[in-house]
Amino acid sequence: MLDLIAPTAHLRSSWLEAFREWPLDGFLLETGGHIGYSVRPSARRRGVATRALAALLPRARALGLDRTLLTCEEDNTGSARTVERNGGVLEDVRSGAYGTRRRYRIDLDGPGRDR
């Protein structure tokens, strides 16, 4: 099943590399976050997103992040569970131009995280 992860999971490294101190502002702060992933419909509800996100967190740490911001639509319970299973803590829920989003933080320096 790991072959399902590689084509769909990605770290937004293009903009991460552009900012030395990793600031989030505008769209990324309100809607996007540090990490984005998608799972094709035929592979959903099999833990693929949970494993994809788990695989990305050490890479984010290697890029120098000590925590990440992830967002999902307020009614997307599957995505919310994925983030929570990977240590995500709900920071807040915000409404904006792209709808209502749940915003989570994951501490990359916590116990069990690769350094």
Side-chain angles (χ1 to χ4, degrees), residues 59-70:
R59 184 165 175 211
R61 179 70 182 120
L63 287 170
L65 293 172
D66 59 357
R67 63 184 181 159
T68 61
L69 170 68
L70 291 98

Side-chain angles (χ1 to χ4, degrees), residues 8-9 18 33 37 40 42 72 75 83 91 95 105 112:
T8 60
Y37 54 87
R40 68 179 181 225
S42 64
C72 66
D75 62 350
V83 176
E91 184 174 90
S95 295
R105 294 275 180 189

Side-chain angles (χ1 to χ4, degrees), residues 9 19 21 24 31-32 41-42 53 63 70 76-77 79 85 96 115:
F19 296 100
E21 296 183 19
L24 289 174
T31 305
S42 64
L53 180 54
L63 287 170
L70 291 98
N76 188 339
T77 57
S79 191
R85 287 181 184 135
R115 298 190 187 274

Side-chain angles (χ1 to χ4, degrees), residues 1 6 11-12 22 31 36 38 48 60 68-69 74 78 83 92 96 98:
M1 190 168 319
L11 189 62
R12 294 186 174 129
W22 322 118
T31 305
S38 179
V48 173
T68 61
L69 170 68
E74 184 179 35
V83 176
D92 61 22
Y98 295 95

Side-chain angles (χ1 to χ4, degrees), residues 11-12 15-16 22 24 28-29 32-37 53-54 56-71 83 86-91 102-110 113:
L11 189 62
R12 294 186 174 129
W15 68 262
L16 281 176
W22 322 118
L24 289 174
L28 294 175
L29 181 62
H34 288 105
I35 297 174
Y37 54 87
L53 180 54
L56 289 173
L57 294 175
R59 184 165 175 211
R61 179 70 182 120
L63 287 170
L65 293 172
D66 59 357
R67 63 184 181 159
T68 61
L69 170 68
L70 291 98
T71 70
V83 176
N86 278 282
V89 176
L90 182 65
E91 184 174 90
R102 297 172 62 92
R103 298 173 71 253
Y104 289 90
R105 294 275 180 189
I106 297 177
D107 178 11
L108 300 177
D109 286 334
R113 298 286 184 205

